[in-house]
Amino acid sequence: MSVHARPHVLLTPAEMAVADRLAVESGVAGMSLMEAAGKAVADAVMDRWPVLPTCVLCGPGNNGGDGFVVARRLREAGWPVRVALLGSLEDLCGDAAACAQAWGGPLETMKPDALDDAGLVIDALLGAGLSRPLEGATLAMVEAVNRSGLPVCAVDVPSGLDGASGRALGAAVRADLTVTFFRRKPGHLLMPGRALCGELLCADIGIPDTVLDAIAAGCRANHPDLWIGSYPWATLESHKYRRGHALVIGGDTMLGASRLASQAAARMGAGLVTLAVPPSAWPIQAGALTSVMVARLPEDGALGEALADERRNAVLVGPGLGVSARTRAQTLAVLSARRPCVLDADAISSFAAAPDLLVEALYGECVLTPHEGEFARLFPGLEGDKLSRARAAAHASGAVLVLKGADTVIARPNGFAVLNDNAPPELATGGTGDVLAGCIAGLLAQGMAPFEAACAAVYLHGQAAAGFGPGLIAQDLPDELPGVLAALRARSRVED
């Protein structure tokens, strides 16, 4: 398989249909695309499983046409293959009908007993553009596949999954392997699609990369290729003041949150990090931190003095502050300074009763990092799939929006979005979000643009967690970052 240009572009099902059409218009035969798709699936299956009795489930569209090619290719390789068709042979048209004719073997009716004696299932029932919940024979078949416990290879997307949103429409096949074509789709990365796809393979089937020039795709998968060119590596001319000064606003109760964030900002390369805390927390934090400076706030929590030094050029507010009027006042004070800033956790939740007050104070150098609960409190009227909601919130606020989760979405106000897919399940533990917020703040302090800083921090945070593995707790992450950064810098130098 060839290496794609712009491999991190994600195409919606509608955009993929345009890519198919443009490929055909450029002289690539539709039958050639279908044959290549089926071959890619068959090759992937034979690479991963021993010879098994295989049931290929074919739908009435092009996805089913791909399935017929898979069936023929496996049969030619000596695999015992049965094909079950949804609908009748007369319903097929175009290339799908031609591929069914080339199969030439018997066809079974699409019903659960088609899985009898099967050792492997090829799901070629439905394509990526599904827009309504499954019903009837299709729903019964999908449920039967999931009940069977058989290994499944899905063609393009697991049937029942919306390739644009990642949503399962009523029910969806749970695949062990999904083979898609030309470019991945948002639904492959968004939950629950990410989990339903199993291993995801993107195959080159002969669509020229030049078709992307005519498709204004507004979504990418997060990867260093997207932001490494602006990563703020230290140079021989660097000194601590040139590398920026991150200010973290801490509270007096949940002290670990702001401590984790401060350590992460320092590990990401900020030349100086100051944690500003109430007097009661000062001796505890000052005794616990060495590389991070600890400043004492006045009793009332006012930030005038903390923000007076303009060399403190990036600010993080929220972790461990508590939901309170004081947190609201501190957040608005940070925003009034008009510096690059990160708003996390309680800096968001404290505005649940007056979300417009916060939204109206935001600006382009702000990064919001809510999880789903915090997002709902700040943007109560936004509904729909995760990608659409993140885009709408970024547009409404004029800020960079990082909607966290196993499928974190980073969105610009102009609608451009990046989906992250390297976060391991071990990140589902308290404090990891505080570390992420600190990572972003550390990059902002070094002058990285907010959107790129958010993308880089989310990716590196995921890499650090994956490198540590099971047993991860939040305080492990800052110590994992140097190794992740060293690998990133080595990669950067090789590519240069």
Side-chain angles (χ1 to χ4, degrees), residues 114-177:
L115 301 176
D116 292 352
D117 302 321
L120 175 70
V121 178
I122 307 297
D123 168 25
L125 272 171
L126 302 171
L130 186 69
S131 59
R132 63 182 185 275
L134 302 184
E135 57 186 18
T138 309
L139 175 61
M141 198 69 230
V142 166
E143 291 175 338
V145 169
N146 288 340
R147 283 195 308 270
S148 73
L150 294 169
V152 178
C153 174
V155 179
D156 196 17
V157 299
S159 290
L161 178 67
D162 177 5
S165 70
R167 287 177 163 178
L169 299 180
V173 167
R174 182 173 292 275
D176 299 275
L177 169 68

Side-chain angles (χ1 to χ4, degrees), residues 283-311:
I284 301 170
Q285 298 289 41
L289 294 165
T290 51
S291 296
V292 172
M293 297 178 288
V294 183
R296 187 184 285 107
L297 292 173
E299 287 287 353
D300 63 2
L303 300 184
E305 184 177 346
L307 293 169
D309 187 347
E310 294 185 356
R311 291 176 299 179

Side-chain angles (χ1 to χ4, degrees), residues 285-449:
Q285 298 289 41
L289 294 165
T290 51
S291 296
V292 172
M293 297 178 288
V294 183
R296 187 184 285 107
L297 292 173
E299 287 287 353
D300 63 2
L303 300 184
E305 184 177 346
L307 293 169
D309 187 347
E310 294 185 356
R311 291 176 299 179
R312 293 172 173 172
N313 61 322
V315 187
L316 166 59
V317 59
L321 288 183
V323 176
S324 66
R326 173 178 288 191
T327 299
R328 284 199 303 274
Q330 289 178 323
T331 302
L332 292 173
V334 167
L335 293 172
S336 69
R338 306 295 287 186
R339 294 174 199 169
C341 65
V342 183
L343 275 59
D344 184 48
D346 297 332
I348 297 171
S349 293
S350 290
F351 289 86
D356 290 345
L357 181 63
L358 177 59
V359 170
E360 290 168 4
L362 296 171
Y363 46 92
E365 291 185 298
C366 301
V367 181
L368 302 176
T369 58
H371 57 55
E372 287 283 3
E374 293 159 351
F375 181 93
R377 288 189 279 274
L378 186 58
F379 301 102
L382 293 182
E383 299 180 351
D385 64 87
K386 186 169 186 175
L387 178 56
S388 297
R389 288 185 289 113
R391 282 172 159 157
H395 177 73
S397 66
V400 173
L401 195 289
V402 179
L403 184 49
K404 296 183 293 190
D407 52 352
T408 294
V409 180
I410 307 106
R412 287 185 190 271
N414 67 0
F416 186 82
V418 165
L419 307 186
N420 196 73
D421 67 343
N422 74 337
E426 286 77 17
L427 277 174
T429 187
T432 58
D434 304 314
V435 174
L436 174 60
C439 289
I440 301 171
L443 292 175
L444 291 178
Q446 297 171 80
M448 200 171 189

Side-chain angles (χ1 to χ4, degrees), residues 154-231:
V155 179
D156 196 17
V157 299
S159 290
L161 178 67
D162 177 5
S165 70
R167 287 177 163 178
L169 299 180
V173 167
R174 182 173 292 275
D176 299 275
L177 169 68
T178 298
V179 183
T180 193
F181 315 113
F182 184 56
R183 293 296 185 277
R184 292 171 292 173
K185 297 172 179 65
H188 290 131
L189 277 62
L190 292 164
M191 292 293 289
R194 181 182 172 196
L196 291 170
C197 287
E199 179 190 356
L200 178 62
L201 175 67
C202 187
D204 179 357
I205 59 172
I207 298 176
D209 292 334
T210 52
V211 304
L212 293 174
D213 297 335
I215 301 173
C219 200
R220 301 288 186 276
N222 199 7
H223 189 276
D225 289 351
L226 305 181
W227 40 260
I228 199 168
S230 61
Y231 197 85

Side-chain angles (χ1 to χ4, degrees), residues 97-119:
C99 289
Q101 184 176 8
W103 154 250
L107 297 176
E108 300 180 24
T109 302
M110 183 71 67
K111 54 185 180 179
D113 64 9
L115 301 176
D116 292 352
D117 302 321

